[in-house]
Amino acid sequence: MLQRTVGNAAVTRRIQRQQDPGAVREEARRNAADPTAHGEWGTFRAMMAQAGFPADVTETAWQLVLGGIAEQGQLNDEAMAKFTERQEQRDYRASNSWYQELVRVVGDYLEIDTPTLALWSGGREVSDYARAKGHTPLESTPFGGVVDKLSLTPDWLLKTPMWNVLSKAFVSRARGPVHIFLRAYDPESVLIAQEVPQLRVVMALNPAVRLIWHPVYSDADGRLMEVTNDLGLTSDASYPTRDKCVQVLYDYLRLVHDPANAHSGRAHAEMSSRLAANGNPQ
């Protein structure tokens, strides 16, 4: 039985510790206590089988995912109560023991099927763009690809820490160049605050790992293009440093962006807000 995979007693104890009365959290507790009753269990099992996962790994991973979702609400509350710094809050939320155990179970299924690993920021379509360029983002790994297709819970804050834990394990597997695609720059994003620092640790141990940065812009037709040094758009423009990539992206948004282009309106607004907050010209 799936319930015995992680341990019925352990599940019961953890579920009982959840005190939040919210309907979504209550549903999460019920799902963790009875994982096969979750509406996506059949879909998860079928996709995992198609991806080549052994049945025991599938059952264990499912229990850990649902157990993590059930526990996450309390961790989120504690993170906000104990810490004021965003990264400290993020680290505490990611301390979820269910998600940590999940990485140990599925870590070998976060491998890439292309020569290069990809990271991104600025909207889910940037991940698809990176994949189309021949790189592997987390969402295209065997396990990431399965979980990415599921809803799991209507509360994104209960599953975001799972992705943060998975992403840390993912970047730790880098063995060569890592391509980073930026359509928006946020110094407090998971990419900049967690993934890139983790890559710096990997780079110190493996000189073959280097970062290749791509500034990405959505043109008036919604196509993702990359920004050249002379502020043109092309199919491939890369830079060796984050600062140069961000400079080129910001210069394009500030000087060339057409306000009528709704596809890049959000990126432009975020850039303008950040520059204004820093006292810089827009």
Side-chain angles (χ1 to χ4, degrees):
M1 293 293 291
L2 175 59
Q3 183 64 31
R4 291 198 296 268
T5 303
V6 176
N8 188 49
V11 172
T12 301
R13 286 194 300 272
R14 287 180 184 269
I15 301 309
Q16 289 173 342
R17 286 206 298 269
Q18 302 299 318
Q19 300 298 322
D20 188 273
V24 173
R25 293 187 183 185
E26 178 59 32
E27 181 182 33
R29 292 192 287 272
R30 290 196 302 268
N31 287 334
D34 187 8
T36 60
H38 189 288
E40 291 181 309
W41 160 238
T43 302
F44 177 80
R45 181 172 53 184
M47 288 193 298
M48 292 284 279
Q50 185 176 11
F53 285 82
D56 61 332
V57 172
T58 295
E59 293 184 354
T60 301
W62 185 242
Q63 177 70 84
L64 291 169
V65 168
L66 296 186
I69 290 172
E71 183 168 289
Q72 193 61 54
Q74 180 174 321
L75 289 173
N76 290 348
D77 293 343
E78 291 173 355
M80 294 299 294
K82 293 181 177 181
F83 304 102
T84 57
E85 295 295 326
R86 185 174 179 181
Q87 188 57 44
E88 290 180 329
Q89 293 172 349
R90 180 181 288 146
D91 289 342
Y92 189 85
R93 289 193 294 266
S95 67
N96 190 318
S97 59
W98 295 85
Y99 293 155
Q100 297 292 336
E101 181 62 23
L102 176 67
V103 164
R104 286 188 280 272
V105 171
V106 304
D108 289 341
Y109 300 93
L110 298 175
E111 71 269 15
I112 63 176
D113 61 359
T114 60
T116 46
L117 181 152
L119 301 175
W120 55 273
S121 180
R124 180 61 173 75
E125 57 267 39
V126 183
S127 174
D128 298 333
Y129 174 80
R131 179 66 174 175
K133 299 287 287 185
H135 314 291
T136 302
L138 173 59
E139 299 79 17
S140 296
T141 61
F143 186 73
V146 169
V147 178
D148 186 51
K149 295 178 177 66
L150 301 175
S151 174
L152 298 173
T153 173
D155 187 347
W156 180 253
L157 294 177
L158 299 182
K159 56 188 174 182
T160 297
M162 176 186 67
W163 283 106
N164 293 348
V165 172
L166 290 173
S167 74
K168 186 174 183 178
F170 177 61
V171 300
S172 295
R173 302 178 68 86
R175 299 295 181 267
V178 177
H179 289 258
I180 302 175
F181 296 85
L182 282 183
R183 187 168 62 171
Y185 174 70
D186 178 359
E188 295 187 344
S189 66
V190 171
L191 169 66
I192 301 300
Q194 173 179 297
E195 293 174 336
V196 171
Q198 181 69 21
L199 279 171
R200 302 290 187 195
V201 174
V202 177
M203 292 167 66
L205 302 174
N206 185 352
V209 178
R210 59 189 178 91
L211 309 186
I212 302 172
W213 297 80
H214 300 257
V216 179
Y217 180 83
S218 295
D219 68 12
D221 296 323
R223 295 175 302 177
L224 296 185
M225 305 289 287
E226 300 184 25
V227 184
T228 65
N229 195 45
D230 58 358
L231 303 187
L233 295 179
T234 185
S235 60
D236 186 16
S238 62
Y239 301 88
T241 67
R242 178 202 63 187
D243 289 350
K244 181 61 177 177
C245 175
V246 173
Q247 176 202 326
V248 169
L249 179 61
Y250 271 21
D251 283 349
Y252 192 91
L253 289 167
R254 184 168 58 90
L255 301 172
V256 183
H257 168 71
D258 180 357
N261 178 5
H263 296 290
S264 287
R266 180 175 178 179
H268 180 267
E270 290 179 357
M271 177 274 300
S272 298
S273 176
R274 193 166 303 283
L275 289 179
N278 291 334
N280 295 317
Q282 300 180 49

